[in-house]
Amino acid sequence: MRILRLAAAAAVVFAGVGAAQAQDWSKIRIGTEGAYPPFNTLTADGQLVGFDIDIAKALCEEMNAECVFVTQDWDGMIPALQAGKFDAVIASMSITEERKQKVDFTNKYYNTPPAIAVPKDSPIKGTSAEDLDGVALGAQSSTTHSNYAEAKLPSADLRLYPTPDEYKLDVASGRIDAVIDDVVVLSEWLETEDGACCKLLGTLTPDPVINGEGAGIAIRKDDTALRDQFNEAIEAILANGKYKEINDKYFVFDVYGG
């Protein structure tokens, strides 16, 4: 009798484990920064807009899931995901080996190279390590771009900022000499009134180890079903034209990459 009771208790426990693993993903909390235009940004009236946001909405629609967005400072993005503040990160997070130690990723949903921007009257001629020797170079902290600068441009005077807005203000006011970020982010900024100070110096050759495989959706390591659903949805919007529709809303070139 005791054996039967133990077996029944074990069955209840395992059933509970199975139910926990079979997570209902009809509602998904999406973590994003809201400070990285044109990919994700908060408007004056508190609305989240941008390429990342539209892609997230398209993927959730494809998955028949409700999207709920949660804003989070970039430096705390992965810890907040691990702590359960949200279920996925769609915030232009590059897929790198270092991050893979902490979280899982979907396949990429875009891939663009890093670049350097400088004031229009800058004497800096190129983007090599020699060209940037001693240059005060701004970058957002905890990004692949700051990691790239540390590894590939070691003689630059790297200055780290919480968000791109701070480095943009400093290069516009002459407190730093150059900035490094995604080519799309810099190009879009240069077309605005605030970016009229500066010009694109050139793009940099990505390092797969540092820059990763492109931007993907970060998922907790145990949430493999959610990762697989996102991957299927990414393939679906690439195939049905929705991805191109969103791409063309923001860019004049294909950001998906090869």
Side-chain angles (χ1 to χ4, degrees), residues 39 94 110-114 145 182-185 206 211 214-215 253-257:
F39 293 103
S94 296
Y110 81 86
N111 192 12
T112 49
H145 305 299
D182 185 279
V183 65
V184 173
V185 171
N211 300 102
F253 55 92
D254 178 16
V255 297
Y256 184 74

Side-chain angles (χ1 to χ4, degrees), residues 167-178:
Y167 76 58
K168 290 172 183 176
L169 286 172
D170 274 8
V171 73
S173 62
R175 287 190 287 269
I176 57 176
D177 306 310

Side-chain angles (χ1 to χ4, degrees), residues 150-206:
E150 288 175 356
K152 301 293 186 178
L153 308 169
S155 58
D157 177 13
L158 184 61
R159 314 279 182 88
L160 299 178
Y161 296 83
T163 72
D165 288 340
E166 284 89 352
Y167 76 58
K168 290 172 183 176
L169 286 172
D170 274 8
V171 73
S173 62
R175 287 190 287 269
I176 57 176
D177 306 310
V179 296
I180 180 172
D181 209 326
D182 185 279
V183 65
V184 173
V185 171
L186 293 178
S187 297
E188 293 282 320
W189 169 59
L190 295 175
E191 293 180 2
T192 68
E193 183 178 347
D194 291 339
C197 61
C198 301
K199 64 182 180 181
L200 196 70
L201 190 63
T203 58
L204 299 156
T205 302

Side-chain angles (χ1 to χ4, degrees), residues 78-246:
I78 287 179
L81 173 65
Q82 293 173 319
K85 184 176 179 180
F86 34 78
D87 306 307
V89 175
I90 304 184
S92 294
M93 183 173 284
S94 296
I95 306 164
T96 66
E97 290 303 318
E98 180 181 1
R99 288 173 180 154
K100 283 181 182 179
Q101 303 306 309
K102 302 174 183 177
V103 296
D104 202 357
F105 280 97
T106 64
N107 299 332
K108 70 172 184 179
Y109 64 95
Y110 81 86
N111 192 12
T112 49
I116 301 286
V118 296
K120 287 180 177 176
D121 60 355
S122 172
I124 303 170
K125 301 300 182 185
T127 61
S128 70
E130 293 75 18
D131 292 318
L132 298 169
D133 182 18
V135 167
L137 178 65
Q140 185 178 11
S141 61
S142 303
T143 63
T144 55
H145 305 299
S146 62
N147 293 341
Y148 186 99
E150 288 175 356
K152 301 293 186 178
L153 308 169
S155 58
D157 177 13
L158 184 61
R159 314 279 182 88
L160 299 178
Y161 296 83
T163 72
D165 288 340
E166 284 89 352
Y167 76 58
K168 290 172 183 176
L169 286 172
D170 274 8
V171 73
S173 62
R175 287 190 287 269
I176 57 176
D177 306 310
V179 296
I180 180 172
D181 209 326
D182 185 279
V183 65
V184 173
V185 171
L186 293 178
S187 297
E188 293 282 320
W189 169 59
L190 295 175
E191 293 180 2
T192 68
E193 183 178 347
D194 291 339
C197 61
C198 301
K199 64 182 180 181
L200 196 70
L201 190 63
T203 58
L204 299 156
T205 302
D207 182 325
V209 175
I210 300 171
N211 300 102
E213 309 157 28
I217 302 169
I219 306 289
R220 285 183 294 273
K221 282 188 172 288
D222 291 339
D223 291 338
T224 53
L226 180 59
R227 179 203 62 200
D228 293 345
Q229 287 180 45
F230 269 121
N231 277 335
E232 290 177 8
I234 291 170
E235 290 301 316
I237 66 171
L238 283 166
N240 66 22
K242 186 62 178 179
Y243 185 96
K244 186 178 187 306
E245 178 185 328
I246 297 170

